[in-house]
């Protein structure tokens, strides 16, 4: 009898350890992420499985799978999307001392629904041959007459722009945010199209003088395999706006634990690993992003751009004001 119980317990233990895994739904698609997951597997024996797709597809999938979803972790590259997943009831709260200590308060959801893994700043870049950085100051100033026909930025459907405008709504109210969006449209060098990288290519090709882009895309150009892209990167100056007031707009790549996670403990372990100094260095360096863990230095390239004042707005505001931002873009005819 006792033998049987022990045998059953043993089988249960082996069975359990053999199926130790964690399933990630991720919008990130970098080789370094893969290396990090390998390291985690080696350290813990927990197998990491990844499904990669666009954030909205992953959110829809989580929603339709409901309780049967195999997902343990959702990773996105924007706080607005994490907030959307949270609002749809697709995430659960996590209480981890390690996560709370490694991730600054404004970069995590206060109940523990999600946590930043990396930071990115949305900044002004300029053509070094044509613009003196002393002519630059704030996002708001890009609407002044001196930039008429010189401003490049991507479409209104882009989540980074939606989050930037959402931050302005949070800081200055809808009326001022709308005036800014309208002023930007007035100063566009062309109808918005393409990626952040394409905006910089247009600056280099003299379509306009300045662009609003995420910092890591400058890094991607400078480290591109194509010499033409490296040349574009070399022409760009990086300017951190709003240094005398709220600071440059910050967004994140971040993660939350899925509501119906079957491997919650493993999921928390993985998130804790991803904010550890070792992982943070690699995680951020891979995509030229800023680490969230303040004990970790950014890469040499990022350090060469200098330190800057960050907007410390609670990132939940980006999600909360997303619908208003989309509405304003529509109203001012930002394509
Ligand atoms: Fe991006």
């Amino acid at each position: 009898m006792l033998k049987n119980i022990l045998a059953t317990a043993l089988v249960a233990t082996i069975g359990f350890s053999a199926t130790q895994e964690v399933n990630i739904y991720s919008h990130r698609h970098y080789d370094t992420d893969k290396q990090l997951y390998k390291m985690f597997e080696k350290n813990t024996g927990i197998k990491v499985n990844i499904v990669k797709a666009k954030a909205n597809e992953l959110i829809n999938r989580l929603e339709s799978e409901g309780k049967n979803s195999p997902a343990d972790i959702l990773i996105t590259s924007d706080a607005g999307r994490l907030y959307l997943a949270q609002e749809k009831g697709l995430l659960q709260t996590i209480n981890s001392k390690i996560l709370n200590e490694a991730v600054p308060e404004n970069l995590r959801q206060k109940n523990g629904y999600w946590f930043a893994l990396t930071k990115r700043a949305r900044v002004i870049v300029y053509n070094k041959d044509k613009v003196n950085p002393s002519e630059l100051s704030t996002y708001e100033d890009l609407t002044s007459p001196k930039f008429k026909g010189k401003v490049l930025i991507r479409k209104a459907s882009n989540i980074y722009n939606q989050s930037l405008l959402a931050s302005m709504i949070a800081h200055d109210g809808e009326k001022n945010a709308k005036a800014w969006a309208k002023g930007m449209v007035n100063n566009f060098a062309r109808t918005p199209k393409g990626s952040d990288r394409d905006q910089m290519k247009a600056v280099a090709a003299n379509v306009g003088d300045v662009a609003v882009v995420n910092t890591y895309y400058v890094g991607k150009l400078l480290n591109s395999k194509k010499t033409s892209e490296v040349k574009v990167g070399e022409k760009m100056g990086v300017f951190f706006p709003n240094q005398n007031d709220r600071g440059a707009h910050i967004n994140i790549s971040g993660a939350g634990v899925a509501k119906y996670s079957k491997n919650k403990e493993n999921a928390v372990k993985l998130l804790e690993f991803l904010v550890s100094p070792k992982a943070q260095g690699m995680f951020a360096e891979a995509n030229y992003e800023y680490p969230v863990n303040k004990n970790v230095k950014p890469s040499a390239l990022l350090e060469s751009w200098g330190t800057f004042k960050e907007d410390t707005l609670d990132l939940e505001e980006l999600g909360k004001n997303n619908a208003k931002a989309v509405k304003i873009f529509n109203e001012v005819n930002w394509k």
Side-chain angles (χ1 to χ4, degrees):
M1 177 70 178
L2 184 65
K3 235 184 183 176
N4 274 348
I5 291 172
L6 282 176
T8 314
L10 190 65
V11 168
T13 314
I14 292 168
F16 184 62
S17 62
T19 57
Q20 283 291 318
E21 59 175 11
V22 62
N23 300 309
I24 305 176
Y25 281 12
S26 179
H27 187 193
R28 286 178 61 99
H29 43 80
Y30 312 112
D31 286 343
T32 306
D33 290 25
K34 256 187 264 166
Q35 280 175 36
L36 278 168
Y37 300 147
K38 282 252 152 63
M39 263 170 73
F40 178 77
E41 284 181 340
K42 225 177 130 199
N43 292 348
T44 63
I46 300 167
K47 171 115 181 53
V48 180
N49 305 308
I50 314 160
V51 171
K52 282 182 280 188
K54 292 214 164 118
N56 279 345
E57 287 167 32
L58 296 171
I59 288 170
N60 289 342
R61 186 159 165 178
L62 276 171
E63 217 175 0
S64 64
E65 287 169 344
K67 283 184 181 152
N68 300 319
S69 176
D72 297 306
I73 293 177
L74 173 69
I75 298 182
T76 77
S77 47
D78 165 79
R81 296 279 193 251
L82 286 169
Y83 178 81
L84 181 67
Q86 172 196 334
E87 280 291 284
K88 286 176 177 276
L90 302 172
L91 301 176
Q92 62 174 294
T93 57
I94 292 305
N95 191 1
S96 152
K97 203 170 167 246
I98 294 174
L99 284 167
N100 289 344
E101 274 171 12
V103 184
E105 224 177 321
N106 65 306
L107 301 178
R108 55 181 154 89
Q109 203 281 333
K110 53 186 170 299
N111 301 320
Y113 277 107
W114 42 263
F115 301 82
L117 299 173
T118 61
K119 274 187 302 195
R120 51 274 296 278
R122 196 151 181 76
V123 300
I124 299 172
V125 291
Y126 59 94
N127 185 333
K128 284 195 274 194
D129 300 335
K130 290 168 79 181
V131 178
N132 188 320
S134 66
E135 295 166 54
L136 300 168
S137 59
T138 61
Y139 300 105
E140 288 80 357
D141 186 53
L142 293 178
T143 66
S144 74
K146 68 178 174 193
F147 292 113
K148 181 93 189 156
K150 293 183 172 162
V151 178
L152 287 146
I153 187 166
R154 63 206 279 184
K155 285 181 181 171
S157 57
N158 172 249
I159 188 77
Y160 305 141
N161 284 345
Q162 291 173 9
S163 286
L164 173 61
L165 186 58
S167 79
M168 290 178 144
I169 295 169
H171 282 293
D172 305 326
E174 266 179 82
K175 209 176 137 227
N176 291 324
K178 186 173 174 178
W180 176 77
K182 197 166 194 285
M184 286 289 279
V185 172
N186 284 339
N187 280 354
F188 280 170
R190 66 176 181 193
T191 305
K193 62 174 176 182
S195 64
D196 276 10
R197 268 175 282 211
D198 291 329
Q199 310 313 312
M200 289 188 270
K201 286 175 188 172
V203 168
N206 292 318
V207 177
D209 288 354
V210 292
V212 177
V213 300
N214 286 356
T215 36
Y216 55 88
Y217 287 113
V218 184
K220 286 192 174 197
L221 286 177
L222 287 170
N223 291 281
S224 170
K225 285 187 186 105
K226 293 184 198 157
T227 14
S228 59
E229 291 198 333
V230 177
K231 277 193 184 140
V232 171
E234 284 169 349
K235 270 201 170 188
M236 298 301 119
V238 173
F239 183 83
F240 295 100
N242 297 70
Q243 294 302 288
N244 295 323
D245 48 74
R246 66 183 182 272
H249 171 63
I250 294 293
N251 206 332
I252 58 162
S253 192
V257 175
K259 171 84 178 281
Y260 299 110
S261 166
K262 320 283 185 291
N263 305 291
K264 182 176 169 180
E265 234 175 85
N266 296 346
V268 174
K269 251 188 225 169
L270 179 56
L271 293 190
E272 290 175 346
F273 169 72
L274 290 177
V275 299
S276 69
K278 174 146 185 86
Q280 278 284 296
M282 286 172 66
F283 208 38
E285 191 122 1
N287 196 31
Y288 318 104
E289 292 173 276
Y290 291 92
V292 292
N293 188 325
K294 52 192 170 308
N295 298 320
V296 180
K297 273 187 159 196
S299 68
L301 172 67
L302 272 58
E303 286 209 312
S304 77
W305 297 333
T307 52
F308 64 99
K309 183 179 175 184
E310 297 173 14
D311 183 354
T312 56
L313 178 74
D314 182 345
L315 291 182
E316 226 173 352
E317 293 295 323
L318 306 185
K320 281 182 189 161
N321 291 308
N322 181 274
K324 284 180 193 161
V326 171
K327 188 173 144 256
I328 287 173
F329 277 144
N330 238 326
E331 286 167 356
V332 303
N333 206 19
W334 184 317
K335 298 289 182 197

